[in-house]
Amino acid sequence: MNRAAFSRLPVTVDLPLLLQALAAIGEDEWRGHFNSAFYAGDWSGVALISAADALTELSPGLGQPLLRAPWQRDGRWQQGLCELPLEIVSARLLRLGPGGQIHEHRDYDLGEPDADLRLHIPLLSPVHVDFFLDGQRMPMAAGECWFLDLSRPHRVDNRDCSARVHLVLDCRPGAWLQQAIIEGLATTPAPPVAEGALLQFQRLVAGDLQLSQALQGLTDSEVFIARTLALAAERGLVFSREELRAAMRNGRRQWNEQWNA
């Protein structure tokens, strides 16, 4: 079955109620994400529901879903989601702090035929947070509910001065949810097409022989990245090291895929 890369579900959640529940979470309850090699800065979470056999409460598992303490003591979580008839197997609050980055990666397990479907509900969604899926910036707003196929390449940059917090639900692919994903496609906002700083710099390089030659001779990837960032900054174009790395990986992937078509 070919599933959409993303869809904003035509549903509502009680955002004010969920924000009240979020405010009741103590700072000491947040735990660093288990994929420590995949991020820089603060990427932490609080498990609301997770597998009974998970190594940590934030980790995946195969056991029965277990209601964790924050969910059990605060009925506002369940009440805020009462309009969504979902079979939830995992519910986590995931926070990306100011300046934090989640490096590009793929959650391959979500691409299996009978895999759970992952929903993102932004609770705190600062304007300068960029969530890229397959190279497209997802225009998610607080209180919305999005299905995202995260078996595809994705990354997040928080360039804001405040934290981003999403409620992330892993759900069984029931009939209601799959239909909601299909119905949501018609009203899902298109990713913005504004040309970013990296693309602007790529266009400059393509049209400037001297600039192109300054980079072509660099065979060490770290030297290439440092020089690219410096040359771009000299021209008033600022993008992150991870954004450049993602573009380089995507270029290699497209080069390889052309021979497998």
Side-chain angles (χ1 to χ4, degrees), residues 9 19 27 37 44 65 77-78 90 95 117 138 145 151 181 183 185 189 196-197 201 204 216 225 229 237-238:
L9 275 59
L19 288 175
E27 183 61 32
S44 53
W77 293 115
Q78 186 171 2
S90 170
R95 177 178 69 181
L117 302 179
M138 296 292 99
C145 181
S151 67
I181 291 172
E183 291 178 358
L185 291 174
F201 184 70
L204 279 178
Q216 283 179 349
I225 289 171
L229 294 174
L237 299 172
V238 179

Side-chain angles (χ1 to χ4, degrees), residues 99-100 125-131 137 157-162:
S125 187
V127 64
H128 296 302
V129 174
D130 296 322
F131 190 120
R137 185 181 185 276
D157 291 327
N158 184 355
R159 299 176 289 103
D160 211 280
C161 58
S162 57

Side-chain angles (χ1 to χ4, degrees), residues 37-110:
F38 282 12
Y39 66 93
D42 170 32
W43 188 24
S44 53
V46 174
L48 303 177
I49 302 172
S50 60
D53 63 346
L55 292 177
T56 71
E57 291 191 1
L58 286 175
S59 304
L62 300 176
Q64 288 296 311
L66 183 64
L67 305 181
R68 301 296 180 175
W71 179 281
Q72 292 197 61
R73 71 168 182 255
D74 196 333
R76 288 175 292 194
W77 293 115
Q78 186 171 2
Q79 186 179 347
L81 301 174
C82 66
E83 298 296 324
L84 282 64
L86 300 168
E87 184 182 347
I88 300 174
V89 298
S90 170
R92 298 171 295 165
L93 296 169
L94 292 181
R95 177 178 69 181
L96 185 63
Q101 295 180 327
I102 302 172
H103 305 322
E104 185 175 80
H105 66 286
R106 302 172 71 168
D107 298 318
Y108 287 98
D109 58 311
L110 296 176

Side-chain angles (χ1 to χ4, degrees), residues 175-217:
W176 179 88
L177 177 53
Q178 297 194 71
Q179 185 60 32
I181 291 172
I182 294 171
E183 291 178 358
L185 291 174
T187 56
T188 297
V193 295
E195 188 172 85
L198 176 54
L199 184 54
Q200 292 181 54
F201 184 70
Q202 289 174 321
R203 295 191 189 282
L204 279 178
V205 172
D208 187 325
L209 180 60
Q210 185 176 2
L211 187 57
S212 176
Q213 290 176 338
L215 294 171
Q216 283 179 349

